[in-house]
Amino acid sequence: MSVKPYIIVAEDEDALSTLLQYNLEKEGYEVGVATDGDEALMMINERQPDLLVCDWMMPKVSGIEVTRRLRAQTETRNLPIVMLTARSEETDRIRGLDTGADDYVIKPFSMVELVARIRAVLRRIRPGLSEDRVIFGEIVIDRLSHRVQRSGRDVHLGPTEYKLLDYLMQHPKRVFSREQLLDAVWGNDVYVEARTVDVHIGRLRKALNGDTDYDPIRTVRSAGYSLDMQG
């Protein structure tokens, strides 16, 4: 099974955040919930999501300020953001989009509409998360048949190596620490030693590279691993 896209919902209304979490999980997303802007920023710093759903009006740090801060940082500059708000004036919508939100949904909204908007943003900004085939350089993952190929050659991977490759291909050239990969692939409720990542990366390299191919998995000393076809 491929890695689920990870969404953080930043919403201070308990009933709404619970409803959002339930519906997004039902759609196949992994969901983390933050109750204010500070908590959202902390969660994003610990593990960057594939998309942020963010309420405009939140305690401590507003959704607009969260968006502004994320857009000011290199690591989160391109993080997809869908803003939720009760403000329906055109000037407010323009302000939200100008701050850096990728889409803007006015309360009250239907869950069907919100899920469709999220899917559209992910498809537009990170197409690898919504496609049955993920391609990076000469590597192709077919999620329907659960097959991996490199330069037309079948690559046989175990379940964990498959998940690792899928996740790295969703975020090419980004460096992930062992801890971030553990959370993303094994889940943060499973205790696995960080060095286990090295073992599975080694297996993935061996299967992916064969005898002659250059190694697309870059080891960044004291930082982690990155998928980079600059061979």
Side-chain angles (χ1 to χ4, degrees):
M1 187 172 69
S2 61
V3 179
K4 295 178 180 180
Y6 174 46
I7 294 176
I8 288 178
V9 173
E11 169 61 62
D12 61 310
E13 293 179 36
D14 288 344
L16 181 54
S17 66
T18 300
L19 192 62
L20 286 166
Q21 182 175 16
Y22 172 77
N23 281 275
L24 290 173
E25 286 178 346
K26 197 170 69 171
E27 291 293 322
Y29 299 108
E30 181 186 351
V31 183
V33 176
T35 56
D36 60 58
D38 267 348
E39 188 180 9
L41 290 167
M42 183 181 69
M43 289 175 66
I44 291 166
N45 186 54
E46 289 174 355
R47 178 187 170 194
Q48 186 167 318
D50 296 296
L51 181 138
L52 171 67
V53 176
C54 189
D55 187 28
W56 178 305
M57 299 293 289
M58 284 190 297
K60 298 183 180 178
V61 181
S62 70
I64 284 286
E65 181 59 24
V66 167
T67 303
R68 195 175 283 123
R69 291 186 194 181
L70 293 173
R71 292 292 178 251
Q73 298 175 30
T74 304
E75 300 84 358
T76 53
R77 187 172 294 153
N78 298 315
L79 172 64
I81 300 172
V82 174
M83 187 78 74
L84 305 179
T85 179
R87 297 166 178 261
S88 59
E89 293 298 323
E90 184 181 14
T91 52
D92 290 325
R93 289 202 300 275
I94 292 170
R95 184 181 166 204
L97 294 169
D98 280 349
T99 304
D102 296 286
D103 204 350
Y104 189 102
V105 181
I106 299 168
K107 297 177 180 179
F109 52 82
S110 74
M111 284 297 162
V112 173
E113 179 194 4
L114 178 63
V115 168
R117 296 280 193 100
I118 287 171
R119 210 179 285 125
V121 170
L122 285 174
R123 192 161 49 238
R124 186 171 73 246
I125 297 173
R126 294 193 177 163
L129 290 171
S130 57
E131 300 295 333
D132 295 327
R133 280 164 56 91
V134 190
I135 302 172
F136 181 66
E138 60 205 20
I139 304 170
V140 179
I141 291 180
D142 187 324
R143 288 172 171 164
L144 291 179
S145 64
H146 213 77
R147 291 179 65 189
V148 178
Q149 290 190 322
R150 181 173 183 185
S151 302
R153 169 178 64 86
D154 283 335
V155 177
H156 302 288
L157 300 177
T160 302
E161 288 74 39
Y162 180 92
K163 289 180 183 180
L164 269 172
L165 180 62
D166 193 325
Y167 191 71
L168 289 170
M169 285 179 66
Q170 289 174 26
H171 310 274
K173 301 187 179 182
R174 182 182 161 194
V175 179
F176 290 98
S177 68
R178 292 179 180 89
E179 290 74 20
Q180 287 172 321
L181 289 173
L182 280 173
D183 282 349
V185 175
W186 279 264
N188 50 21
D189 56 345
V190 177
Y191 177 73
V192 182
E193 288 189 8
R195 291 288 170 183
T196 303
V197 175
D198 300 340
V199 173
H200 288 281
I201 287 286
R203 291 176 184 169
L204 175 58
R205 275 183 166 136
K206 186 176 179 181
L208 205 55
N209 297 340
D211 297 324
T212 56
D213 291 328
Y214 60 80
D215 187 1
I217 300 174
R218 188 163 56 97
T219 301
V220 183
R221 192 172 178 180
S222 302
Y225 298 102
S226 173
L227 188 71
D228 194 333
M229 295 299 273
Q230 303 276 325

